[in-house]
Amino acid sequence: MTVIHSARLVTDAQVTENAWVQMTDAVVTATGIGDDWRRAAPDDDVVDAAGAWLTPGFIDIHGHGGGAAAYDDGREAVATAVAVHRAHGTTRSVLSLVTASVADLAQRAAMIAELTASDPLILGSHLEGPFLDVGHKGAHTADLLVAPTRDDIETLLSAADGSLRQITLAPELDGGLDAVRAFSDAGVRVAVGHTDADYETTLAAFDAGATLLTHAFNAMNGIHHRAPGPVIAALGRDDVTLEVINDGTHVHADVVRMLFGEAPGRIALITDAMAAAGAADGAYTLGGLDVTVRDGVARLDDGSETGGSIAGSTLLLDEALRRAVTDVRLPIEQAVDAVTGAPARALGLTELGSLRPGFAADAVLLSSEFDVLGVWADGNRLR
Ligand SMILES: [Zn+2]
């Protein structure tokens, strides 16, 4: 058993001063205020938080790697990358795969299916492609983008063997809405993204079962007063969660602030991290494309001095949370919800994203500057 006491507990969109949380094995078993933790568990492993923030473990529903390793590259690469994210408070990760051939994606999804079965901290895979719009390809290889077919959908679903959590697709492609229905019928969360969809097509995708918007504003049409586009479509739907890359580069802080105001409880901060997250600037590859990272900003190499499209991020979720408070100026309870409760709700993970009794023993201790002081996942102290 572990008891963390004298914490400023932030969970379920509330702040509780001088709080304690008791975790037994992999579950939160009790919480309280003040000194009565002493009665609750005399023999526990006791941690004095000394007034630090205590939050549920962070959940990243969209990331591609870290620590100079990418999830596309096999088991060892996954282990390297998730270790970096875990040290920064991300206790549960969906592993995103960049566009590849359907055969390669099937093989990688099968690899992640095995990891998901053996590691409770891995939530499954996210296919970002290959059913994406060429005109909004971002850092995906144009030649590999295709319209969805029944055969390809079956191949990917059966390779993932129930571990496919999420797929990003462009609903305006031929067969796009049928694909939304097929994946959501199979229990996969469908995200609209890397798309040329207008407002109406996006709403049609939500009606067909899509429940997420992949990195809002990035790789899609923006907001125009006569052409509201996918972001406005998503804001208007209570059943849709909007992913946001809050790294100060992908979306302006004031625009992020607007999203939180329009869709409280429905913003999930993601990293979309590529291999350079938690690693040095320099040359990398992302799904076979050459990328240069300068000052933490990853761009495709296009021969120009400044570089091409932004290619994923080097963000970690503790930094996304810090920026949500300092740059976006959100109350801490709202910022914490966007890396804990909101992503859990978006994926229907009813035992994650809160530190109430009965929830998973995933917790992060943070200084007032949002430096990670401690991480517990599934009841084990990781840092
Ligand atoms: Zn991505």
Side-chain angles (χ1 to χ4, degrees), residues 105-364:
L105 283 174
Q107 198 176 48
R108 291 166 194 172
M111 179 266 294
I112 293 175
E114 287 175 20
L115 293 174
T116 306
S118 61
D119 182 348
L121 306 187
I122 291 175
L123 296 172
S125 54
H126 163 217
L127 294 175
E128 196 169 18
F131 313 130
L132 308 178
D133 173 45
V134 176
H136 295 84
K137 63 182 167 44
H140 297 266
T141 305
D143 291 351
L144 295 170
L145 301 180
V146 292
T149 65
R150 191 68 233 178
D151 278 357
D152 287 349
I153 293 169
E154 281 307 321
T155 299
L156 293 168
L157 283 174
S158 78
D161 193 22
S163 68
L164 181 57
R165 277 282 173 194
Q166 192 175 335
I167 183 163
T168 295
L169 59 80
E172 75 279 10
L173 297 176
D174 279 349
L177 291 175
D178 287 337
V180 173
R181 283 182 210 101
F183 282 111
S184 51
D185 286 351
V188 179
R189 302 286 158 152
V190 178
V192 174
H194 288 279
T195 179
D196 192 40
D198 59 10
Y199 175 79
E200 287 77 12
T201 307
T202 307
L203 287 182
F206 295 147
D207 287 338
T211 57
L212 284 160
L213 188 69
T214 294
H215 39 58
F217 285 107
N218 299 121
M220 65 184 62
N221 295 313
I223 299 173
H224 183 279
H225 54 288
R226 279 187 293 273
V231 176
I232 294 288
L235 290 175
R237 292 282 298 236
D238 285 345
D239 55 344
V240 172
T241 298
L242 293 85
E243 295 181 353
V244 177
I245 308 172
N246 188 37
D247 64 350
T249 299
H250 280 77
V251 188
H252 192 282
D254 287 351
V255 178
V256 176
R257 186 173 169 80
M258 179 199 76
L259 293 177
F260 274 91
E262 293 296 315
R266 295 193 287 119
I267 306 298
L269 297 183
I270 57 163
T271 63
D272 197 17
M274 45 86 75
D281 280 4
Y284 289 85
T285 60
L286 179 61
L289 299 176
D290 292 326
V291 170
T292 299
V293 180
R294 282 191 195 89
D295 301 325
V297 179
R299 291 186 182 275
L300 289 181
D301 288 344
D302 66 351
S304 71
E305 185 66 17
T306 50
S309 282
I310 317 177
S313 86
T314 59
L315 190 61
L316 299 160
L317 277 184
D318 55 349
E319 170 72 0
L321 172 63
R322 186 186 69 74
R323 284 180 175 277
V325 174
T326 58
D327 299 5
V328 184
R329 310 183 315 282
L330 293 175
I332 183 146
E333 56 270 32
Q334 213 177 349
V336 167
D337 180 68
V339 292
T340 59
R345 290 190 296 276
L347 296 188
L349 302 167
T350 52
E351 53 315 336
L352 299 179
S354 167
L355 281 173
R356 289 203 306 279
F359 278 77
D362 290 11
V364 184

Side-chain angles (χ1 to χ4, degrees), residues 28-113:
V28 176
T29 39
T31 62
I33 298 170
D35 267 349
D36 58 346
W37 59 270
R38 294 176 193 278
R39 262 185 335 208
D43 304 323
D44 288 357
D45 180 14
V46 173
V47 176
D48 182 354
W53 299 114
L54 181 64
T55 75
F58 307 157
I59 302 164
D60 192 359
I61 63 172
H62 185 165
H64 298 269
Y71 298 142
D72 314 284
D73 294 339
R75 280 180 184 71
E76 275 181 42
V78 170
T80 300
V82 294
V84 170
H85 289 280
R86 286 171 187 172
H88 288 266
T90 298
T91 55
R92 310 270 172 162
S93 306
V94 175
L95 307 187
S96 301
L97 296 172
V98 296
T99 295
S101 70
V102 170
D104 285 349
L105 283 174
Q107 198 176 48
R108 291 166 194 172
M111 179 266 294
I112 293 175

